Amino acid sequence: MKRRVFLGLPVILGILFYIWYIFHASDNVAYSDYIRLINSYLPDVTNPAKFFVPDILTRVPITYLGRIINVKLFGYNTYFDMILGVLSLGAGAAVLALYAERNRSVGYLSFLLIQFVYFSLNKWEMMTNGTGWVCTLSISGFLFHFAVLDHAAATRCRNMSDRVLLAILPILLVVLVAGPYSGGYAVILVLAYGALWLADRRGGAETSSRSWSRKCRRTWCIGALTTVLAMVLYLWSSSQAVYVHRGAVTDVSIAQEFVAQPLFFLRFLLKAVASSVIGVAQIQELEAGSPWFVRLHLVYLLGLAVFVSYLLALYLNVRFQLYKKTIFPLLLVLSGGCNHLLVLAARWIFLKDEYGMSSRYEIQYQMGIVGILLTFALVWSMCREKAQETEADKAKTRAPEKRAVRTPLKVCMLAFTVLTVFGNAWTTRAEIRTAPYRKAYLQVSRELGLNYRTASDEDLETYLHNDPDAVRDAMRILEENHLNIFR
C-alpha cells in the first residue's frame, strides 16, 4: 500500500502542476489549428454529414465527441480541451506507475526522476494548444497497450483480461483515437508480436506447459491481425483525404531529396533528438554563450549523445537480456526512435532542419527517453543486486572482462540521466518564467479576435496564426453562435 501511494502521488502532483501551468500560460481563445476546425465543423457539430466522410479516420472520431461536449456544455472553451490534454498526459503517467508497481526493480528514485522528466514543460506547445489533446491521449493509449503486452508476456497470457485487451486495443486506438499517430505504434506492435510468437514456438517444446505456449501464440497472432486490420482501415481512409501542407517548399520525392542533400536529413534527426532532452530555447542559449567552434556544433553533439543513448539502451536490453523479464522499456525505446523517423518523413518537405525540434513533437519523442531511463534503472538495479552477492558467487558467475566493462556503462548511464534531468529541469524553469508572457500574447490574440472586422491582416496572421480570411470566417461563426471569446 505504501508503495502504491508513493507511486501515485507524483502522478497527481504532475496533473495539478500542468493544470496550474495552462491557466498561467494560456487563455480561452481559438487560434491556430482551431481556425480550421471552426470553419470545418461549427456551429452544427452534430451534423452527420460532417462526421460520415470518407477520410473520417484521419480526422480522429473521438474528437467529434469532444467537440460536441465542448460546444454544447462549455461554449467551445479551449480550456476544456487543454484539461483533456492534461488528464490524457496523467493517464500515461498512471500507466508508468502501474508498471513500476508490478516491477519492483524500478526503484523509488528512478521512478521519481522518470515522472519528473515525463511532466516537464518541454511539451508546452502541445499542451497549451488544446487541439493537441488527442495526440497526448494516443501516446497514453500506446503506453497502456505496451504495458498490457508486457504483463501478458510475463504471465504467459494467463489473464483473460490481457488477452481481450490485446485483441481490441488496436482497433479502439487506431480507429477511434490515434489516427495519424498510429504508424510507429503499429510497426512496433507487429514486430513485437512476431518476436514473441517465434520465441514461444522455439521454447514450446521445452516447457512443461505447452497448452499455455499455444495460447500465447494464438494471442500474439490475434493481436498482430487486429493491428494490421486497424491500420488497413486507417490507410484506406487516409487515401480518401486531401492534404494541404502550408509552407512546403518542395514537391520532389524523399528519395530524390535524400540524394540531393543527405546531410539535411542527418541534421534534422540530430537536432530533433537533441531537443528531446533540452528545449530549443535553452539550446540556443547554450550556443550563444559558447565559443564559436562549439556554437556551430553544440546541437549536433547533444543529438549525438542522445542517439548514442538510444543505442546503449538497445545494447543493454540485449546484453542483460532484459527482454526476457520485461519488454516494456524496449518497446518504448523502439517507439521513440520510430517517432523520430515518422516526424522526419512527414516534415522534411519544409526543408528546415530545425522543424523537428518543435515542442509539439516532444510528447512523441518522450516515449523513447522514458524507455531509455527505464532501461538504465533496471540495469542499475541488476548491478546492485549482483554487487550484493558473495565474492565466491561473483568469481563463479562473472568473468573479469565483464566486470571491467560495467564501470564505463554506469558512467554513461549516469551521464545521460543527469543530462536529461538537468535539461528538462532547465526547460521547465524557463517555461514557468515565460508563462505570463505567453498568456499576455494570447490576450492580445483575444482582443484582435474580438475586433476581427477592423484588425489588419498582418495582426490577424501574426497573433491568430492562420490565414486572415480564414480567421475572419471563424470569428464570424463564433460571434453568431456566441461561442468562445464571444460567449
Side-chain angles (χ1 to χ4, degrees), residues 54-70:
D55 61 331
I56 180 175
L57 300 188
T58 67
R59 306 187 185 200
V60 190
I62 197 173
T63 59
Y64 287 88
L65 177 60
R67 195 175 301 116
I68 291 170
I69 295 173
N70 196 356

Side-chain angles (χ1 to χ4, degrees), residues 74-89:
F74 301 101
Y76 207 50
N77 192 313
T78 58
Y79 278 126
F80 171 77
D81 291 337
M82 285 182 268
I83 294 297
L84 286 181
V86 172
L87 295 179
S88 299
L89 186 70

